[in-house]
Amino acid sequence: MRIHIGTDHAGLEFSTQLQHHLASQGHEVVDHGPIEYDPLDDYPAFCIRAAQAVVRDQADGIETLGVVFGGSGNGEQIAANKVLGVRAALVWNIPTAELARQHNDANVIAIGARQHTFEEAASFIDRFIATPFSGEERHARRIAQLAAYEQDGILLPDPRENAAQPDVLDASDSFDPEAG
């Protein structure tokens, strides 16, 4: 599988280790930067280029995924998700890595390099790569809705649109946590 990687200065050392780790498993690794440590560099261009490459490869029928990371992984996930066709998921443990693939068919994983040991993060990435999309109809339907929104900005109808009263709570309303 081809794996595209993008990071910033916070993940540079992690990136080098990860590239060796993935290559040793037989993956083709493409590094989108940075190439040297600069504490003032900006992650968006690195992560967006990695995300663009994932979409381009997938459109060409190449089995590929992306990995973006930085200090927290948050900004890197946001940057990757700006690319049409990317479904980047912030992952912090094995279950979130599995669910990102099984339920969301995520094609990019985002990780906080300063939040985990290399071994932990590598295990999340390995599980992400190894886990297939379930293909269940409900998940495919939801992914199709996201893709349609990306294309034309149209959402499913709002069920409250024709309701007699708006769905608004005020301070006098009581809440029963057992009832939801």
Side-chain angles (χ1 to χ4, degrees), residues 23-36:
S24 74
Q25 295 179 339
H27 297 293
E28 176 188 353
V29 181
V30 181
D31 180 18
H32 294 273
I35 57 173
E36 63 185 13

Side-chain angles (χ1 to χ4, degrees), residues 80-116:
N81 276 321
K82 296 300 180 185
V83 176
L84 185 67
V86 166
R87 290 176 306 283
L90 181 64
V91 168
W92 60 91
N93 59 21
I94 295 292
T96 57
E98 291 173 338
L99 290 171
R101 293 287 299 136
Q102 290 173 343
H103 291 191
N104 306 111
D105 198 16
N107 50 9
V108 175
I109 184 174
I111 296 179
R114 291 181 176 159
Q115 311 305 311
H116 306 281

Side-chain angles (χ1 to χ4, degrees), residues 31-97:
D31 180 18
H32 294 273
I35 57 173
E36 63 185 13
Y37 182 80
D38 176 358
L40 300 177
D41 69 6
D42 298 317
Y43 61 83
F46 303 128
C47 295
I48 289 171
R49 285 188 185 105
Q52 288 172 325
V54 167
V55 171
R56 187 171 48 250
D57 280 355
Q58 288 182 332
D60 289 342
I62 299 169
E63 188 179 21
T64 188
L65 292 171
V67 180
V68 296
F69 45 91
S72 71
N74 285 309
E76 295 75 19
Q77 177 200 27
I78 292 167
N81 276 321
K82 296 300 180 185
V83 176
L84 185 67
V86 166
R87 290 176 306 283
L90 181 64
V91 168
W92 60 91
N93 59 21
I94 295 292
T96 57

Side-chain angles (χ1 to χ4, degrees), residues 84 141-156:
L84 185 67
R141 182 182 67 240
R142 294 165 184 162
I143 293 165
Q145 289 173 21
L146 292 169
Y149 180 78
E150 279 184 324
Q151 291 295 323
D152 58 27
I154 296 174
L155 295 172
L156 291 176

Side-chain angles (χ1 to χ4, degrees), residues 36 128-129:
E36 63 185 13
F128 181 81
I129 292 169

